[in-house]
Amino acid sequence: MPDKHADKFKDECGVFGIFGHPEAANMTYLGLYALQHRGQESAGIAASDGEQVRVSRAMGYVADTFDSATLAHLTGQVAIGHVRYSTSGESHLSNAQPILIDCAHGQIAICHNGNLVNALELRDELVRQGSIFQSSSDTEVILHLYARSKAGSVESAVIESVSQVRGAFSLVMLTRDRMIAVRDPHGFRPLALGRLGEATVVCSETCAMDLIGATYLRDVEPGEVLVVSAEGMRSIKPFPPAPLAHCIFEHVYFARPDSYVFGKSVNEVRTDLGRILAREQPVAADVVVPVPDSGVCAAMGYAEESGVPLRMGLIRNHYVGRTFIQPQSAIRHFGVKVKLNPVKSILDGRRVILVDDSIVRGTTSRKIVKMVRAAGAKEVHVRISCPPTISPCFYGVDTPQRSELIAATHTIAEITTYLEADSVAYLSLEGLMSAVGNERGSYCSSCYTGRYPVEFPRDEVSYLQLALKLDKTVPVTK
Ligand code: SF4
């Protein structure tokens, strides 16, 4: 199961859809496999053979969730899939996606990446009017709105329902005979469009297209509804124009470096973050050491720009992630040690620049600094390739409360003391924005600024993220 205590922001979902392929479910399985980093709690696929939509969902990793018999049952030339992450503590299959319903408009399955900021008020109203919810997922609100729509066509009912929700949503839906992709007008979460022969593919990140041999065409545009059917592909723009708010954390951490996100290479952006960080925050040292894997691209950029050699002074065990048997006798910092091991020959007697992409609570960074020192490092200088993280996210990313974010409650000097580092320095917001080419102000950076591009009803703040934390009491943070 996923590491619930990892000291990182967590993305919550990856979505995939394919229309017009004889092995649609198999392609979706592979697409989800490539998107596994976006969610490890549950996985699901829905497929239609033109007559009936079938769905299979289960808790766990994609490779463990589906076998050939399950995939063979998901017949048809159109399929959608979802991987989900949650840290709410309880893992519920009822919250896994795709969610499939049957209503007056026929069967529809939905996959969602993002978070709806007005889901609670809509849900309350729907419940008052008699709706019965099956899950604590915000996504189900869209389906209830869809089912109640009196619109004369599937497209019109989809548009009517998504026009009532606010926040972050990259959606892929499946009916008996079509696939519909929707991206919110702010474009918070990515959604790429591509082709595989005659088939149309949509997915959260282009790395999913690479695996199946599909070609990236363009992004589904913010505010665009794409309807793909036997008649071809139709683009509808039903939303009023809204300011763009691409999640900058996709480039900092979430997305795979081999993906293109918001039209930019994640690897290039991340390496640039390191280069700019080296210019902004230089320090005399002998080696640049990345915290693997998240700090690798930025560390390469930092080393290149500073001329300080890059060395892999920490080795990651890639095979951790499933349950493992812990020893009876306590091993100090076992959680970090089982994942990372220092290379003494690189660190011993050296002044080390330790590069990572972010610090959330600081607990893991502190253990890593200790580990590097214990391996003999003379000095440890922590360099972070984004600004201090001071605010939670309300747009589909699992974040701790503000009070748990170390940079929200501590000065840099206090963080340096806490981490027991010789120095700690972050990339500036201007540096981050210049790396993504944010000339038009098209990125969300609320977790660094506390300024939110889409307002949320005040009482919803207490829920942080409805999709994940409906069953938890979370203190109001704003
Ligand atoms: S608040 Fe941060 S994590 Fe959330 S959408 Fe904005 S940039 Fe991304």
Side-chain angles (χ1 to χ4, degrees):
M1 294 306 294
D3 180 359
K4 301 282 185 189
H5 306 292
D7 193 14
K8 293 284 178 194
F9 277 14
K10 288 289 175 190
D11 215 331
E12 278 149 21
C13 299
V15 297
F16 184 93
I18 187 164
F19 183 95
H21 195 282
E23 289 189 90
N26 282 352
M27 292 297 130
T28 304
Y29 166 78
L30 292 174
L32 295 182
Y33 193 80
L35 296 173
Q36 186 75 83
H37 61 290
R38 297 185 72 88
Q40 301 92 44
E41 182 187 274
S42 64
I45 296 175
S48 173
D49 60 6
E51 299 292 327
Q52 194 186 347
V53 179
R54 297 179 180 85
V55 68
S56 174
R57 306 177 304 168
M59 307 306 292
Y61 288 15
V62 176
D64 302 329
T65 301
F66 296 98
D67 55 23
S68 43
T70 312
L71 290 173
H73 178 69
L74 297 168
T75 51
Q77 303 219 345
V78 51
I80 62 172
H82 190 264
V83 286
R84 181 174 187 268
Y85 178 86
S86 158
T87 55
S88 62
E90 294 77 25
S91 295
H92 296 298
L93 185 58
S94 62
N95 283 334
Q97 296 187 17
I99 306 173
L100 172 65
I101 61 157
D102 200 353
C103 64
H105 302 289
Q107 285 185 298
I108 188 166
I110 188 168
C111 297
H112 176 199
N113 177 203
N115 188 53
L116 308 178
V117 297
N118 65 337
L120 264 188
E121 62 187 15
L122 288 171
R123 186 185 171 108
D124 284 351
E125 185 54 33
L126 287 162
V127 168
R128 257 195 299 276
Q129 292 172 16
S131 292
I132 298 168
F133 280 77
Q134 305 287 327
S135 72
S136 60
S137 157
D138 58 340
T139 313
E140 200 184 339
V141 168
I142 298 172
L143 292 179
H144 281 270
L145 294 170
Y146 174 82
R148 296 168 69 90
S149 169
K150 302 278 189 292
S153 70
V154 165
E155 285 91 336
S156 303
V158 165
I159 289 168
E160 194 182 307
S161 53
V162 296
S163 297
Q164 294 174 65
V165 298
R166 288 191 294 110
F169 50 93
S170 281
L171 305 168
V172 186
M173 297 182 231
L174 170 71
T175 65
R176 200 173 45 78
D177 60 357
R178 64 198 64 197
M179 177 173 79
I180 303 170
V182 186
R183 194 156 167 228
D184 72 71
H186 304 278
F188 277 104
R189 302 274 141 237
L191 194 57
L193 172 69
R195 285 209 80 76
L196 176 59
E198 296 300 305
T200 303
V201 177
V202 287
C203 52
S204 295
E205 288 181 38
T206 56
C207 63
M209 292 189 199
D210 296 340
L211 182 60
I212 60 169
T215 308
Y216 169 73
L217 296 177
R218 65 174 175 89
D219 282 358
V220 175
E221 289 176 28
E224 185 174 22
V225 177
L226 266 186
V227 182
V228 189
S229 68
E231 286 81 53
M233 188 164 73
R234 214 150 55 86
S235 169
I236 308 164
K237 302 269 181 64
F239 303 101
L244 291 177
H246 303 322
C247 171
I248 208 159
F249 226 90
E250 294 277 355
H251 274 300
V252 171
Y253 172 68
F254 297 139
R256 262 174 48 165
D258 49 337
S259 286
Y260 278 74
V261 162
F262 310 130
K264 287 187 182 304
S265 155
V266 176
N267 173 65
E268 285 308 309
V269 169
R270 237 168 248 178
T271 309
D272 252 0
L273 296 177
R275 289 191 191 107
I276 299 166
L277 181 62
R279 289 199 289 274
E280 290 185 349
Q281 302 291 350
V283 60
D286 303 308
V287 282
V288 173
V289 172
V291 175
D293 292 328
S294 53
V296 171
C297 295
M300 289 172 81
Y302 194 104
E304 190 184 299
E305 186 71 22
S306 65
V308 179
L310 178 83
R311 294 284 182 271
M312 298 305 283
L314 290 167
I315 299 300
R316 181 170 167 207
N317 180 355
H318 285 265
Y319 304 98
V320 182
R322 311 303 300 164
T323 49
F324 48 81
I325 298 157
Q326 297 206 25
Q328 295 273 319
S329 44
I331 295 178
R332 227 170 121 65
H333 304 322
F334 184 74
V336 172
K337 272 187 187 163
V338 79
K339 276 184 247 163
L340 291 177
N341 202 30
V343 182
K344 205 167 170 8
S345 64
I346 290 175
L347 301 170
D348 195 14
R350 302 260 159 70
R351 296 169 299 168
V352 175
I353 301 172
L354 196 60
V355 179
D356 204 354
D357 65 284
S358 57
I359 301 178
V360 179
R361 294 182 181 85
T363 46
T364 303
S365 305
R366 180 182 156 97
K367 289 173 192 166
I368 295 170
V369 171
K370 273 181 191 286
M371 182 186 271
V372 170
R373 275 203 198 284
K378 225 161 49 178
E379 294 173 17
V380 183
H381 301 276
V382 176
R383 293 294 179 269
I384 301 299
S385 62
C386 73
T389 308
I390 57 164
S391 279
C393 175
F394 298 93
Y395 309 124
V397 174
D398 182 53
T399 56
Q401 298 168 50
R402 193 186 308 264
S403 60
E404 291 177 60
L405 298 169
I406 190 167
T409 51
H410 294 72
T411 64
I412 304 282
E414 288 167 343
I415 295 170
T416 308
T417 305
Y418 175 73
L419 298 188
E420 297 180 27
D422 291 279
S423 72
V424 173
Y426 291 81
L427 184 70
S428 68
L429 188 60
E430 297 69 35
L432 176 61
M433 291 303 177
S434 71
V436 294
N438 189 40
E439 301 82 14
R440 292 184 300 132
S442 50
Y443 279 85
C444 172
S445 56
S446 308
C447 43
Y448 308 121
T449 63
R451 293 190 297 274
Y452 293 94
V454 174
E455 285 303 317
F456 32 84
R458 184 166 174 92
D459 62 341
E460 285 193 22
V461 176
S462 61
Y463 292 100
L464 274 182
Q465 288 159 322
L466 171 65
L468 302 173
K469 294 179 174 166
L470 195 70
D471 48 359
K472 279 181 86 179
T473 306
V474 180
V476 171
T477 57
K478 187 183 175 202

